[in-house]
Amino acid sequence: MLDQSILQQVREIFKNLDAHYTFRVIADSNRNETEEMRQFLNDFASCSDHLTCEFNQTFQDNSLEFTLLKDGKETGITFRGIPNGHEFTSLLLAVLNADGKGKNLPDEGIAQRVRSLSGDIHLQTYVSLTCTNCPDVVQTLNIFALLNPNIRHEMVDGALFQSEVDAKGVQAVPAV
């Protein structure tokens, strides 16, 4: 699914990963996109011995998501949909930032403010894979989740969850 030149670039980017990362997938077998997600994540995970996939199929609830685990523990980052297009970078940075090798990390003052937030915080960002502004929001909120175990963040591809977008009245993306 992913172009060989892109896979080679990802191999180079991930060659110095320290931790082990698992993409824990929950996907409805009845969804047309389930096989596409499987192929996408298997291709992506083939770029490093530090990446694996764990597939859990269901036959209900329209699920199509994966959560990023670091050394078997949840990072708070979930992607609902296949992060292609502009969101591909968000997936790359989720792994790199979790490993401490990313970019656009906040200064210590802002990081400390994020760490001090209390209570269970669940954020969802509705995106379009063609949106050029969406990755900035997704990447920032993913960093929040990495900094504070009370924060969970989900990127949601609005095109794949249209009934949810309609029910919530999302008019434009990114929408948090």
Side-chain angles (χ1 to χ4, degrees):
M1 172 166 200
L2 290 172
D3 180 85
Q4 286 302 312
S5 65
I6 291 174
L7 291 173
Q8 185 55 41
Q9 291 173 42
V10 173
R11 282 183 194 96
E12 186 64 26
I13 291 168
F14 286 160
K15 71 181 178 184
N16 294 318
L17 289 177
D18 294 321
H20 181 82
Y21 297 92
T22 302
F23 303 117
R24 186 176 61 205
V25 181
I26 300 172
D28 185 338
S29 296
N30 297 316
R31 284 196 73 128
N32 295 332
E33 301 87 2
T34 295
E35 185 54 36
E36 182 181 349
M37 177 178 271
R38 177 184 299 277
Q39 187 176 1
F40 174 85
L41 288 174
N42 278 332
D43 284 356
F44 192 85
S46 74
C47 294
S48 173
D49 291 338
H50 291 267
L51 301 173
T52 58
C53 298
E54 173 188 304
F55 293 97
N56 302 293
Q57 289 192 311
T58 181
F59 293 96
Q60 58 187 347
D61 79 8
N62 207 30
S63 293
L64 186 69
E65 66 183 57
F66 65 95
T67 299
L68 179 64
L69 305 178
K70 177 181 179 180
D71 292 330
K73 297 181 179 149
E74 289 198 20
T75 60
I77 297 172
T78 298
F79 290 86
R80 288 182 53 214
I82 303 166
N84 271 326
H86 294 289
E87 291 303 335
F88 187 74
T89 302
S90 296
L91 176 58
L92 282 171
L93 284 174
V95 174
L96 289 173
N97 287 337
D99 212 54
K101 296 175 176 60
K103 65 172 197 162
N104 298 333
L105 298 172
D107 64 44
E108 189 51 39
I110 292 175
Q112 189 53 43
R113 289 176 70 183
V114 171
R115 285 185 196 105
S116 70
L117 295 172
S118 61
D120 187 31
I121 302 168
H122 181 205
L123 302 167
Q124 293 178 299
T125 305
Y126 290 85
V127 303
S128 165
L129 298 182
T130 60
C131 171
T132 58
N133 295 319
C134 292
D136 291 336
V137 174
V138 170
Q139 292 162 23
T140 298
L141 296 178
N142 282 347
I143 289 169
F144 284 17
L146 292 170
L147 290 171
N148 186 327
N150 296 322
I151 299 175
R152 292 176 295 130
H153 178 244
E154 279 183 76
M155 179 222 75
V156 182
D157 181 350
L160 297 178
F161 296 93
Q162 189 62 51
S163 61
E164 194 173 317
V165 166
D166 294 341
K168 292 187 177 195
V170 174
Q171 297 289 316
V173 293
V176 179

